[in-house]
Structure formats: structure tokens, C-alpha cells
Amino acid sequence: MNTRARWTIGILVALVIGLVVGLIIIAGDGSHDTTATEPTESVTTTSPPTTTSETTSSTTPTATNGGTPVPTPGPTTSGGTGGL
């Protein structure tokens, strides 16, 4: 058998095996399966608001996101070189 024919057959077999594995993975994925035949209804309940009074004093604000703040932009100059 010719060497080129062996390589061609090997590549085709590898492609077929890859397609079969891909189809098995897609068929096994159950994230898009729906089992309900009727639409689900949402129930909303409301409760009266509760009021509480607290006194807090803080000298430094606390960050809620925990990140580093964005630096303040500096002065801009015109007439520069570069860019796109």
C-alpha cells in the first residue's frame, strides 16, 4: 500500500472518530433538555417593609467590591505622535 494512501486513510479515520466523539458529547449534554410540557407559573408574594433604625459612624468608606480604584486621569497634551 502506498504511503500517501496510508496517511490519507489514517487522517480520515481520525476525523471520523473525532466526529463520533463530538456527537456523543453533544447527545449526552442535558443542559438544553426540557421535560416540562406546561409553562411554569411564577408566584409573587409581597410583605410589608420593615423599618429599623441604626446609628453608624465611620470615618473611612468601605469598598464593596474589593478592587483597586481607577486612577484619576492626568492632563492631556495635544500634538503627540504615535497611535494608529
Side-chain angles (χ1 to χ4, degrees), residues 20-56:
V20 169
V21 170
L23 288 174
I24 290 172
I25 291 172
I26 290 172
D29 183 23
S31 65
H32 299 294
D33 294 341
T34 56
T35 57
T37 57
E38 297 179 12
T40 57
E41 296 179 16
S42 64
V43 177
T44 307
T45 59
T46 59
S47 62
T50 59
T51 58
T52 60
S53 62
E54 265 185 45
T55 57
T56 59

Side-chain angles (χ1 to χ4, degrees), residues 1 12-14 16 22-23 25 28 33 35 37 42-43 49 51 57-60 67 70-73 75-76 81 84:
M1 185 182 286
L12 289 175
V13 168
V16 169
L23 288 174
I25 291 172
D33 294 341
T35 57
T37 57
S42 64
V43 177
T51 58
S57 64
S58 177
T59 57
T60 59
V70 176
T72 308
T76 58
T81 60
L84 297 175

